Amino acid sequence: MTFTQLEIFSVLARIGSFSRAASALGVTQSAVSHALKQLETDLGVVLFLRGATAVELTEVGSRLLLRANDILQQKEALRQEACHEQGIARGTLRIASFGASSSLHLLPHLLACYGQTHPEVEVQIDEGVDGEVTQWLLERRVELGFVILPDDRFDALPLAKDELVAVLPADHRLAVCPSVRAKDFHDLPFIRTAAGSGPHVDQFLAAAGAVPKVLFRFEQLSSMLGFVAQGVAVTIVGRLALPEPPEGVIYRSLQPRRPREIALAALSFERLSPAARAFLQLARKVHRQP
């Protein structure tokens, strides 16, 4: 078993295709196939179910992927520690973000400051919905990630307070209200977000027995705002994810308010690599956390 085989295993699990994994790794497809076959032989298990165009992790493959990613993270941390002893800060730092709330509101300033003090560290950002970010953290695909609190699975540093708000056409009958109740959404044409705030929106509505008419399911915020501006439907979104209201759109607080807290998280702050530890320390300083 080699680090190269484990890296190929990890990349193939993330991408799900031999050809695309080979392209991402800069090797041939046959090299990926050979390395995986050798790893499966060494371990005595089948890691993937092979399809015509894609591969899928077996049950044992999913379990062993956690170990493989942990080994790869610790290998990177070991390399960084050695560089640190030589007075050099370099390596790769992988961070997961869940969209506009963290990707646009929190990350740019942090990355700019981090790049000034650690120019030789390559920071890789993977963006997904909330559930994907937590899964990537649990799978050790990334070392740091932005999550919504509370989440007892991780060590977390709170960074920003947010809340869900109603997004309405400016001429909607609810626009004159200072806040919007869950039951006000009952039977209204509604846009269901594909982003991670979806379950939180569902909980808010379900608590009041409100059932809107879900006519649209969008992932892109621009699509949602465009449909609202045309008066087609209403929706609920995290405030930090929203730009200044475009023409024809207004935002209103919910009643009762639905606050949420965004945090930078890791499986364990004690086991962070030097690059991740430096990023955490910077986040604490920028947001003045003890």
Side-chain angles (χ1 to χ4, degrees), residues 80-94:
Q80 290 180 22
E81 292 284 6
C83 290
H84 183 71
E85 286 301 312
Q86 301 171 38
I88 304 170
R90 63 165 58 118
T92 300
L93 172 60
R94 293 179 173 85

Side-chain angles (χ1 to χ4, degrees), residues 87-274:
I88 304 170
R90 63 165 58 118
T92 300
L93 172 60
R94 293 179 173 85
I95 302 174
S97 178
F98 61 74
S101 298
S102 54
S103 297
L104 299 182
H105 185 76
L106 296 172
L107 263 177
H109 181 58
L110 289 174
L111 289 175
C113 295
Y114 189 77
Q116 292 176 358
T117 55
H118 299 82
E120 293 193 51
V121 175
E122 179 182 286
V123 181
Q124 298 180 359
I125 306 295
D126 289 330
E127 186 177 83
V129 300
D130 303 23
E132 289 175 318
V133 171
T134 56
Q135 189 63 29
W136 294 340
L137 282 166
L138 292 170
E139 291 177 352
R140 283 81 166 175
R141 272 183 51 179
V142 297
E143 200 169 359
L144 294 171
F146 291 91
V147 303
I148 299 296
L149 296 179
D151 196 323
D152 295 335
R153 294 171 295 182
F154 307 111
D155 288 346
L157 173 70
L159 295 182
K161 295 186 182 298
D162 191 15
E163 67 174 326
L164 296 178
V165 296
V167 182
L168 310 168
D171 59 358
H172 196 277
R173 62 177 176 81
L174 294 175
V176 299
C177 303
S179 59
V180 183
R181 300 166 300 176
K183 65 180 183 180
D184 293 328
F185 291 95
H186 185 74
D187 216 29
L188 287 183
F190 194 80
I191 302 170
R192 173 65 159 81
T193 174
S197 59
H200 302 282
V201 173
D202 294 342
Q203 292 166 10
F204 170 72
L205 296 171
V211 183
K213 293 179 181 177
V214 179
L215 303 180
F216 313 100
R217 297 178 183 273
F218 291 142
E219 185 171 347
Q220 296 299 321
L221 183 60
S222 58
S223 301
M224 298 171 69
L225 292 175
F227 271 57
V228 172
Q230 294 300 316
V232 176
V234 301
T235 190
I236 299 174
V237 180
R239 182 63 183 88
L240 288 181
L242 293 166
E244 287 302 308
E247 185 176 355
V249 176
I250 63 166
Y251 307 145
R252 290 289 183 263
S253 298
L254 299 179
Q255 182 185 346
R257 299 180 82 97
R258 295 290 291 186
R260 62 180 193 167
E261 194 166 24
I262 301 173
L264 184 65
L267 282 173
S268 170
F269 285 165
E270 296 297 322
R271 296 190 66 197
L272 290 178
S273 68

